Every structure is written in C-alpha cells, then in structure tokens.
Amino acid sequence: MPKAWMGKFLFVDLGSGSSWTQEVPDWMRSKLMGGKAFGAKLLTDLTPAGCDPFAPENPLMIMTGPLTGTSAPSMRGCVVTKSPLTGTFLDSYFGGYFSPEVKYAGYDGIIILGQAQEPVYLWIDDDRVEVRPAAHLWGQDALEANAAVKSELNDETVKILSIGPAGENRVLYSLISCEYNRQAGRGGAGAVMGSKHLKAIAVRGTNTVTIHDPEAFRAAVIQANADLEKSEDVQAMRDGGTAPAVDFANETGLLPSRNFQDGSFEKASNLSDIGQSKHLWLNSAACLGCPIRCSKMGAVRTGKYAGFITDIVEYESAALMGSNLGISDVRAVAHLVKLCDRFGMDSMSTGGVIGFAMEAGERGLLESPDGISLEFGNVQAAEYLIRSIAFVDNDLGKLLAQGVKRAAAALGGDASAFAQHVKGLESPAWGPRGAAGTGLAFMTADRGGCHQRGLPAPLEVTGGEWEGKPVQALAVEGKADMLIQMQNYLAGTDALVKCDFGGFGVQPETYAALLSAATGERHTADEFDRLGERIWNLTRNFNLREGLNPADDTLPKRFMQDPLPSGPNKGHRFSAQDMAFMLKDYYSLRGWDQAGRPTEETLKKVGVQDLPKFEKSS
C-alpha cells in the first residue's frame, strides 16, 4: 500500500458486537482515491437493492481522504449512507478534528453495520474496539452526550460523533454532531445512526500518517498555503466566513424570504456579517490544519437569548432560519440554530420545514397550536416547532419530522405548490429564479436539493466569465456544460475530502502535487475531473437502482409557477421549455439516455463497469 493511506477499513457489526479490519483493495485506492468515491462504491456493493434506510443492512460510513490527517490545508471527513429523507445516496461533510483522528487510529474509514438491541456507543482506541452500553446517555442532547462520553473515558482529547434526541427519534433530517460546532448536517445521517441505537462514536489514535517524499510534500504544502493567500475569496472567508453572502444574495435576488416567496429581505444586513459582528463574534477559529479560520466564535451577550456561546451563523442557516422565516434578530436566529445543533437537526432543512409550516398556517392549511401563531416573523413559533419536531411529542411535530415533501403530501390541497424541496431534500438558501444554471444544479444534484455539487450562481448574477466568455444569468445555452465541469471537479476533489472553502484557493495542480508527494504515485490535475465523472455515474446508478424517477430531476413548483415579486430578477420564473432544454443538454453531455440513465457505453468509458465488487470479509 502506498503511503498516506492507512490501508484498512474498520468494520463494526452492532448486531453481534463484533468488529474486524479489512484491507483497502489496490483497485479501490487507484480507481477511487478515497472519501466520496469510496463511500459511493461501498454503499452500492454493501447495501441490498431497495434496502430500507433504517434497516440494519444500511451501512453508516465515516470516510477520510488520503490527505486527511496530514499538514495539507483544509481537509475534512464525510459520512455516507442511504438517506432516509430522499431514499437515495447521501454524503455529508464535516470539518473539525474527528476525521484526522480516524486516520491516527489506523483506518481509512469506519463502516458500521447492524443494529444494537439497546443504546450503545462505540469506543475505538487504536486497535481496541468496544461496543459499550449507552442507555444512560439516551435522551441527552448531542453536546451533553459528547461531554459525558469524554468524562466517562476520562480523556478530554478523545474525538466524538454524537446524535441528539432528533436522531434517536428518527427525525428524517437529523444530523451527526462532529465535535462542537461541526456537523454532518444534510440528509438524515443522524436518524440512520439513531436507528442503529448508536448514540456516539469516540476515537483516539496514536498512529501517524506517513508521507512518501516529505521534502516534496513540504514544498507542496507551502504552495497550497500560497494559493490560499492569493485568493480574494479565501480572504473574504477569513474576514467574515460565509455571513457576507447574506447581503450578496439579497442584492442579487437569490436570498430566500418567507419560504422563498421573494428573493430579498428588507432587514438582510441584520443577519449578515454586519449584524453578526455587532452582536455575536469575538474571535476567529479554525478546523485542524486550516489557515483560513472561517469560524467566528462568540456569544449572545444581550437581549432575550443572552448567555450562550455560539459559532458563526453560517449563510445557509442565517438565510433559512432568518429571512426565510421573516426573522431579522440574529441573536434569535443564533438561538434557534443552537437548539437545532443541541437536538441534532439540520438547521437548513429545519428552516425549510418551518417556513413551509408558517406559510401553511397563514394559508389556513395548518391549524396553529394553542397559544402559538404559525406566522412569519414569530420566533416563539419557530422555537415551538423545533422542540416539537425533535421530540415528536405532538401530531404537528410528527408531521413535520418527515420533511417538507411528506408533510405536503399529508396536508394535501395546494400544499405541494409551496413545498420547497428537490427529491425530498429541502432547498438550499439560493432561490434560482434569476440564475438558470443554478436551477439546473439543484435539479441534477446527486443527493437532492443541494448547493455543494456545483453552484454557478456567483458567476451568473455578477456576469463573471467562464472559459473566457461572460456568463448570462438567464441564458440556458451552455449552462449544462459549465455545470458538468463544476460537478465533476467537485466530486473528484470530494474523494480527497477537501474543504470547499480551501478549494476556492488551492489550485488543481497543487492538489495533484500534494497527492503525488504524499503517496509516491504520479497524479495530475485533470485526474480529478475524470474521477468526478466516474463518481457522478456511480451515484446516479445507485439512485436509479434505489428507485429514483428521472422525472424528479425538476425544481419546486414555486420556482416554475410564481414570478419573483421584487429585486433585479423581478418577474422571472423557470419555464417548462427552459428546464427541458437544459436537462436534455445535460443528459446528452453526460452520455445518458433521454430518460436520464447512463448508457452502457458511458459506464464503460468512465470506468464504472470495470470496477470489481467489494466483498465484505465477515
């Protein structure tokens, strides 16, 4: 096994309490690299077709990349499983300190199968693996459980993943808390962990990640840091994290306002870096080995919600839990996001669900609980709904715990007309009615409504250039080609499990140099594009096998039926003709048939057909 990889996966069967290691096959390392690609292949081979996401057979996997745990800047980890929210492929990424510790314990990934009869937590101390009882932790929130496990192990340096009550109660958009202030948020991985009765995973490692050519690797790290320093985008992230995007999205008509009814919000600056720096931030913080330091640690110091520590309220949470709910007090938004973190719920999906409920309440489709008015701007109602969803202790909480798609189907009437989701995953905080390529990105993302698989919006709304030509926001021609290039590169570098923000600065040639020096194998910059194309076909095949209907490659009805009422894109919506044109172009360029299925010729060309099946040894 070349350097940088640890050379083995750790398997744990919670049903039997057994664990074993299995060598990472050479073909897997050379053809798939790590991270997302490992996860996509393992999910395909280990999961029975049509498997219930809550069945013991659905694996819950924590994957690293070959550069995770090295001094290469801005690397992360990812969780891969079959999503209970969408029924399709799910990969969810997290920063912090947990994924390097997995490498230090000696593993390229942890694969958890089976289902414990009673609540347990997993204790991995290098080669020692124990399944320990956790009934005393069940019911604790995600951060309480983290502290309790550290206390029990008598080691504050142990790194921990944990779930809160939402995961225990199988709320379909539950998250996994990855140490404090970092989460694998999207798609419901926390509910899969809860279904296995797994409250937490604790890891301590004492190994090192070996490097083939330390001198060349050091030079590549220096170049990577220089790439970051030269990037204006990285400097902006260092100054204000993602919070300035609130004002940017507001000015360009992309900001969700009142369940995406509008693309601008009159008090947006209260939620952006302007409001957050005034009311919350005290200092900057970083994940392990990251020079960007995009986190802004602080505290709510004044007002009704004063008295708790908070990280930056990231753009997606600020928009979906703020403007999308008509709430402009960033201290209240920080309070609501903190509740989501503690209870273990994705604040993006939760914001989307509450926005849906508030609109349903105002339209008379949903009856307000006693003493609570379901209307936009009502912080008390948002807090009531968060608690009801997390603990599913009333009918409204049970309804909304299923996500927007299922809640709209249950309500009936015209509820689906304002249910903001793609393939069941609640929409990210970028209303695409003024950015055609961004709409196509959401239609085709492999885990449902997602902004992290390629986001043309910044180029589209600023008239930026792509391959030397200005990008027209509303044009549909050429958007499929641009998006596919973005999707392929991002998927390829997700096999490294790099941070998206690091990718703003570090150049493809530098990633290749880091990888070459670390592994002793020759890697090139264009390799990430080819690998990304292979991954994109792997995940598409998995989703089709699990019942994805290509007709679901579409947008929420609101983006097609309701013209934007204000802003620079006032009056615009997606037409059926625009969507059909882009989708036809996209399928054709991907080498998929007219129904959106990869052809045999394409699967052979990108190397999917030649991949052996991964066989589990026990």
Side-chain angles (χ1 to χ4, degrees):
M1 176 66 66
K3 306 290 186 181
W5 288 279
M6 308 308 287
K8 61 186 177 185
F9 294 125
L10 172 65
F11 280 81
V12 179
D13 185 339
L14 294 175
S16 64
S18 63
S19 64
W20 66 95
T21 60
Q22 189 164 339
E23 185 176 326
V24 178
D26 283 344
W27 62 264
M28 201 166 180
R29 176 192 50 72
S30 63
K31 299 289 186 183
L32 298 173
M33 192 180 296
K36 176 170 186 164
F38 277 11
K41 180 59 177 165
L42 289 166
L43 191 66
T44 299
D45 291 348
L46 296 176
T47 310
C51 177
D52 184 330
F54 290 149
E57 293 80 10
N58 185 24
L60 178 70
M61 301 180 281
I62 297 96
M63 289 291 139
T64 69
L67 300 180
T68 303
T70 72
S71 57
S74 310
M75 294 293 154
R76 302 203 293 173
C78 69
V79 174
V80 178
T81 190
K82 182 178 177 181
S83 167
L85 188 61
T86 67
T88 59
F89 173 80
L90 172 63
D91 55 338
S92 190
Y93 296 79
F94 58 92
Y97 295 79
F98 187 88
S99 58
E101 202 73 12
V102 173
K103 292 282 287 282
Y104 302 152
Y107 311 107
D108 292 307
I110 301 171
I111 301 163
I112 300 165
L113 301 166
Q115 184 182 68
Q117 293 299 309
E118 302 290 339
V120 297
Y121 76 89
L122 186 58
W123 169 220
I124 302 167
D125 189 11
D126 283 339
D127 295 334
R128 183 161 60 101
V129 180
E130 298 177 11
V131 179
R132 293 188 167 194
H136 59 296
L137 304 174
W138 208 250
Q140 292 186 0
D141 74 37
L143 303 186
E144 289 170 340
N146 182 309
V149 172
K150 284 177 175 166
S151 176
E152 190 166 311
L153 296 173
N154 195 29
D155 187 347
E156 288 294 318
T157 69
V158 168
K159 306 303 184 291
I160 291 175
L161 303 186
S162 58
I163 60 170
E168 297 173 9
N169 293 321
R170 304 188 186 187
V171 174
L172 295 187
Y173 41 95
S174 304
L175 59 75
I176 297 177
S177 180
C178 309
E179 279 298 318
Y180 302 107
N181 302 319
R182 294 292 179 271
Q183 295 87 23
R186 303 239 72 190
V192 174
M193 192 162 158
S195 75
K196 295 182 179 299
H197 294 141
L198 181 60
K199 182 65 179 180
I201 306 170
V203 176
R204 181 171 60 196
T206 59
N207 298 280
T208 56
V209 181
T210 57
I211 298 296
H212 172 76
D213 186 340
E215 187 173 342
F217 188 73
R218 193 176 303 112
V221 171
I222 291 171
Q223 181 59 53
N225 285 319
D227 289 351
L228 293 171
E229 292 303 317
K230 284 190 291 189
S231 167
E232 293 182 1
D233 290 335
V234 167
Q235 187 56 51
M237 296 298 300
R238 184 173 291 160
D239 291 341
T242 57
V246 175
D247 284 329
F248 170 79
N250 188 54
E251 292 164 6
T252 52
L254 300 169
L255 186 71
S257 179
R258 297 173 176 83
N259 197 31
F260 290 89
Q261 292 183 61
D262 208 339
S264 56
F265 182 57
E266 60 274 14
K267 297 179 180 178
S269 291
N270 291 359
L271 304 169
S272 72
D273 54 318
I274 297 171
Q276 293 196 38
S277 61
K278 177 180 179 182
H279 290 293
L280 305 179
W281 298 349
L282 294 171
N283 207 343
S284 297
C287 298
L288 180 66
C290 182
I292 301 175
R293 302 188 300 278
C294 66
S295 285
K296 304 294 172 190
M297 296 307 300
V300 174
R301 304 180 291 276
T302 60
K304 180 179 179 181
Y305 304 103
F308 69 94
I309 295 171
T310 181
D311 197 349
I312 184 174
V313 182
E314 298 283 1
Y315 166 73
E316 295 288 337
S317 298
L320 288 165
M321 202 67 82
S323 57
N324 194 51
L325 306 185
I327 296 172
S328 60
D329 183 346
V330 75
R331 296 166 297 184
V333 173
H335 168 67
L336 297 174
V337 172
K338 190 75 171 187
L339 285 179
C340 288
D341 291 349
R342 298 196 77 100
F343 296 156
M345 298 194 299
D346 174 21
S347 57
M348 290 176 62
S349 279
T350 305
V353 167
I354 295 174
F356 168 80
M358 287 179 167
E359 183 165 355
E362 291 192 351
R363 287 170 175 254
L365 283 174
L366 199 57
E367 185 177 347
S368 293
D370 289 343
I372 300 292
S373 179
L374 291 180
E375 59 184 6
F376 289 110
N378 189 339
V379 178
Q380 182 192 13
E383 179 169 346
Y384 174 87
L385 291 177
I386 289 171
R387 294 181 183 278
S388 297
I389 294 167
F391 295 98
V392 288
D393 54 2
N394 57 52
D395 289 343
L396 185 54
K398 292 174 183 174
L399 172 73
L400 299 177
Q402 305 303 307
V404 158
K405 179 182 177 181
R406 291 173 175 83
L411 283 181
D414 65 349
S416 66
F418 56 92
Q420 298 300 114
H421 70 90
V422 177
K423 302 184 180 78
L425 184 64
E426 285 71 25
S427 298
W430 301 92
R433 279 172 282 189
T438 302
L440 181 63
F442 297 163
M443 292 159 63
T444 58
D446 58 1
R447 67 174 185 181
C450 177
H451 63 294
Q452 292 180 299
R453 301 294 180 265
L455 187 67
L459 286 179
E460 292 185 294
V461 299
T462 62
E465 290 191 349
W466 180 260
E467 296 184 334
K469 297 179 182 178
V471 178
Q472 303 296 325
L474 300 181
V476 294
E477 296 82 3
K479 293 298 174 66
D481 181 55
M482 178 175 68
L483 176 64
I484 287 171
Q485 291 186 53
M486 290 179 175
Q487 288 176 336
N488 286 349
Y489 180 71
L490 289 174
T493 49
D494 278 344
L496 282 175
V497 207
K498 61 93 182 74
C499 174
D500 286 352
F501 302 157
F504 289 168
V506 180
Q507 298 300 299
E509 294 78 8
T510 308
Y511 280 132
L514 286 163
L515 196 57
S516 298
T519 64
E521 299 176 326
R522 182 175 181 273
H523 293 274
T524 58
D526 58 355
E527 180 177 331
F528 301 110
D529 299 316
R530 294 195 300 273
L531 176 56
E533 187 177 19
R534 187 173 305 138
I535 294 169
W536 212 255
N537 282 278
L538 262 175
T539 56
R540 183 70 174 186
N541 258 5
F542 177 83
N543 287 343
L544 290 167
R545 189 192 80 178
E546 297 305 306
L548 170 72
N549 184 349
D552 291 333
D553 290 337
T554 188
L555 290 170
K557 291 180 181 178
R558 167 153 284 160
F559 297 152
M560 298 183 282
Q561 296 176 349
D562 300 346
L564 267 176
S566 67
N569 303 307
K570 180 180 179 180
H572 189 69
R573 60 179 173 83
F574 280 91
S575 70
Q577 292 79 10
D578 285 350
M579 294 171 63
F581 177 91
M582 289 193 294
L583 208 53
K584 182 180 179 182
D585 200 18
Y586 181 89
Y587 288 168
S588 175
L589 290 170
R590 278 259 175 236
W592 297 353
D593 64 20
Q594 293 183 1
R597 298 177 182 277
T599 65
E600 293 296 316
E601 182 182 2
T602 296
L603 294 176
K604 184 175 182 181
K605 185 191 78 171
V606 303
V608 169
Q609 275 192 335
D610 297 333
L611 294 173
K613 182 177 181 180
F614 181 91
E615 299 287 353
K616 178 165 59 73
S617 63
S618 295

